């Protein structure tokens, strides 16, 4: 029986009926639907629309409904409900009789879905931020484990200067910290309760919306019923926040895949997260990394899909909005799964510290330090740069490195070169020279790691503080 059967004379076309149903995907919102319904039943009683015994019957019924749904998934599978709101309504009447339909007094599915989705996004924000914290924790642990191991840093994919490998890992931790913060910011806009907006004009009852908001753990109530029932900006923001996570996962995965090639050889793929080739017996493939890279397209696609659904919608509720749900669920599931796999991978990957360290000492990664040496002795940097550039060309012709040139050879380029030049070119000195906050000098990296650990603690404490609707007011 349709909720609106009174109005139409003919049954729906069977194909259209199947095609427009959302219960197949919005049934995952049943928990949110029931939480909002409990709060609404109490609000109805306070507004004088339900007698106390009716409220009790409805609340008991909602509890039974929740239990039955959990114990008998077949009950949901067999349901002909159009959507999760319809299912809850039918289920309640099935369990407690006609009084159950009083729960719909003054309430519309337009505000119900807006409320359920906010509850859903709020929970997912906590979930994803918790997973980001788990992933960041692995970065910090691996950074700590790498100690003073150095590696080349690249610009334009060309070897540039040596950095600590820990510094490289901490660069990714920064991206994921920013993502967690971006999601926390999104949570502020999620935190407004639409319930009480009715279908479009506001509930036709003396509802205490502030009490409803408190009960459902929202900091505020929405200010305009037209906006509240048609707004999905909070979901779009969340999807873009997820898009950033997926984008950063993709960049990280790409770099690890590159570093796992024979050409770089800085990391060895963990067997647990690699695959073989059915055709090429010697191969070990970075499938996990490639999938992480590929999922970014899917998640960013979801954000774009929702933006296109919203574009051009007149106020207020339009059924197009039902199309916001699948991209939302898919992106949240995808990012949650990706973060778990990425954390597992990073925990298991082996770093070839010797190879990294050797590559960090390859000829000319200390060329910038050589120019710095001259600059510290009063040579204007442009001239210092030119002199070292010429020395590099000379080295390439003679198959030498800067540190194997004799002092006589060096002085052909600049008279300021002296005996202490050779110490200044050693890896330790080159690293230590970058002694600014945010630089790769080992003492700075140690500080950055300690600071990142503190930030992780506060992220964890914050992510755990996810609000849940109170079961009993
Ligand atoms: N399943 C619908 C959705 O997701 C619920 C709201 C339906 N409202 C309506 N007036 N048909 O948007």
């Amino acid at each position: 029986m349709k909720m609106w059967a009174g109005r139409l004379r003919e049954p729906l076309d069977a194909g259209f009926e199947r095609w427009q149903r959302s219960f197949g995907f919005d049934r995952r919102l049943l928990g949110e639907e029931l939480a909002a319904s409990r709060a609404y039943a109490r609000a109805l009683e306070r507004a004088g629309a339900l007698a106390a015994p009716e409220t009790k019957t409805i609340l008991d019924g909602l509890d039974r409904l929740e239990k039955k749904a959990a114990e008998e998934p077949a009950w949901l599978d067999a349901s002909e409900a159009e959507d999760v709101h319809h299912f809850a309504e039918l289920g309640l009447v099935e369990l407690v009789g006609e009084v159950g339909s009083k729960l719909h007094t003054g309430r519309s599915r337009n505000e119900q879905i807006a409320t359920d989705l906010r509850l859903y996004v709020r929970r997912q924000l906590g979930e994803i931020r918790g997973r980001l914290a788990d992933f960041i924790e692995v970065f910090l642990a691996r950074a700590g484990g790498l100690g003073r191991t150095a590696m080349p840093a690249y610009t334009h994919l060309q070897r540039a200067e040596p950095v600590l490998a820990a510094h490289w890992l901490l660069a990714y931790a920064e991206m994921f910290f920013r993502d967690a913060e971006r999601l926390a910011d999104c949570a502020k806009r999620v935190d407004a309760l639409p319930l009480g907006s009715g279908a479009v004009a506001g509930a036709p009852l003396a509802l205490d919306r502030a009490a409803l908001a408190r009960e459902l753990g929202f900091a505020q109530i929405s200010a305009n019923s037209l906006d509240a029932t048609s707004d999905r900006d909070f979901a779009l923001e969340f999807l873009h926040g997820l898009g950033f996570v997926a984008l950063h996962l993709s960049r990280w995965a790409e770099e690890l895949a590159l570093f796992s090639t024979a050409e770089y050889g800085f990391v060895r793929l963990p067997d647990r997260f690699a695959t073989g080739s059915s055709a090429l017996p010697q191969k070990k493939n970075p499938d996990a990394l490639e999938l992480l890279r590929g999922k970014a397209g899917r998640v960013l696609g979801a954000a774009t899909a929702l933006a296109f659904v919203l574009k051009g919608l007149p106020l207020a509720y339009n059924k197009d909005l039902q199309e916001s749900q699948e991209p939302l669920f898919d992106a949240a599931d995808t990012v949650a799964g990706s973060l778990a796999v990425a954390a597992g991978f990073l925990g298991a990957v082996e770093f070839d510290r010797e190879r990294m360290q050797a590559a960090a000492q390859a000829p000319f990664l200390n060329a910038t330090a050589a120019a710095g040496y001259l600059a510290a002795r009063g040579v204007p940097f442009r001239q210092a740069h030119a002199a070292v550039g010429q020395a590099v060309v000379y080295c390439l012709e003679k198959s030498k490195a800067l540190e194997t040139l004799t002092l006589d050879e060096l002085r052909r380029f600049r008279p300021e070169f002296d005996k202490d030049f050779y110490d200044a070119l050693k890896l330790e000195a080159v690293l230590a020279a970058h002694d600014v906050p945010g630089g790769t000098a080992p003492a700075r990296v140690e500080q950055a790691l300690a600071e990142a650990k503190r930030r992780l603690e506060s992220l964890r404490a914050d992510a755990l503080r996810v609000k849940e609707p109170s079961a009993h007011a």
Side-chain angles (χ1 to χ4, degrees), residues 63-289:
D63 288 346
R64 281 164 58 203
L65 196 160
E66 182 162 46
K67 193 160 176 284
K68 184 168 158 90
E71 286 166 1
E72 299 171 38
W75 187 41
L76 283 81
D77 297 339
S79 170
E80 283 174 8
E82 185 173 313
D83 57 22
V84 66
H85 325 291
H86 190 202
F87 173 79
E89 197 176 327
L90 292 175
L92 188 60
V93 171
E94 183 183 322
L95 294 172
V96 306
E98 272 306 304
V99 61
S101 55
K102 284 202 174 186
L103 182 57
H104 214 59
T105 310
R107 191 171 68 151
S108 158
R109 286 185 296 152
N110 300 352
E111 57 181 335
Q112 285 172 256
I113 187 60
T115 301
D116 292 357
L117 287 177
R118 280 175 184 268
L119 288 168
Y120 168 81
V121 170
R122 187 172 77 187
R123 188 159 47 82
Q124 288 299 317
L125 283 168
E127 165 82 23
I128 299 286
R129 293 181 80 226
R131 285 180 190 259
L132 279 168
D134 294 343
F135 189 34
I136 292 171
E137 184 168 337
V138 186
F139 275 103
L140 305 193
R142 298 304 314 254
L146 280 168
R148 301 237 159 160
T149 305
M151 67 185 281
Y154 297 79
T155 65
H156 312 271
L157 217 49
Q158 305 287 331
R159 284 178 179 172
E161 288 190 276
V163 291
L164 285 192
H167 194 56
W168 166 66
L169 286 177
L170 289 175
Y172 284 104
E174 286 306 313
M175 295 183 207
F176 295 109
F177 271 126
R178 279 200 296 280
D179 291 340
E181 197 181 302
R182 192 173 290 111
L183 291 172
D185 191 65
C186 164
K188 293 182 206 158
R189 256 94 50 208
V190 176
D191 211 2
L193 176 74
L195 209 55
S197 298
V200 64
L205 290 162
L207 278 186
D208 184 349
R209 295 191 62 211
L212 262 176
R214 273 196 302 280
E215 201 170 321
L216 288 168
F218 283 91
Q220 42 179 326
I221 55 174
S222 56
N224 181 294
S225 61
L226 291 159
D227 178 49
T229 46
S230 70
D231 172 39
R232 296 292 182 276
D233 292 357
F234 66 91
L236 187 58
E237 269 190 74
F238 176 54
L239 282 177
H240 279 288
L242 293 179
F244 273 97
V245 179
L247 178 88
H248 292 146
L249 281 170
S250 177
R251 289 186 65 184
W252 170 76
E254 165 61 13
E255 192 158 57
L256 276 190
L258 212 53
F259 285 179
S260 75
T261 59
E263 283 70 17
Y264 284 85
F266 295 160
V267 305
R268 278 186 287 272
L269 298 173
D271 281 1
R272 283 187 288 132
F273 291 91
T275 51
S277 159
S278 56
L280 313 170
Q282 85 286 9
K283 289 200 72 191
K284 188 157 151 188
N285 291 329
D287 288 34
L289 299 172

Side-chain angles (χ1 to χ4, degrees), residues 306-314 320:
L306 178 54
F308 273 73
V309 167
L310 300 179
K311 178 199 163 298
L313 286 190
D320 315 41

Side-chain angles (χ1 to χ4, degrees), residues 285-317:
N285 291 329
D287 288 34
L289 299 172
E290 293 166 288
L291 279 172
L292 285 169
R293 202 170 55 194
K295 302 270 184 202
R298 178 164 166 174
V299 176
L300 290 163
T304 306
L306 178 54
F308 273 73
V309 167
L310 300 179
K311 178 199 163 298
L313 286 190
L315 287 172
Y317 178 82

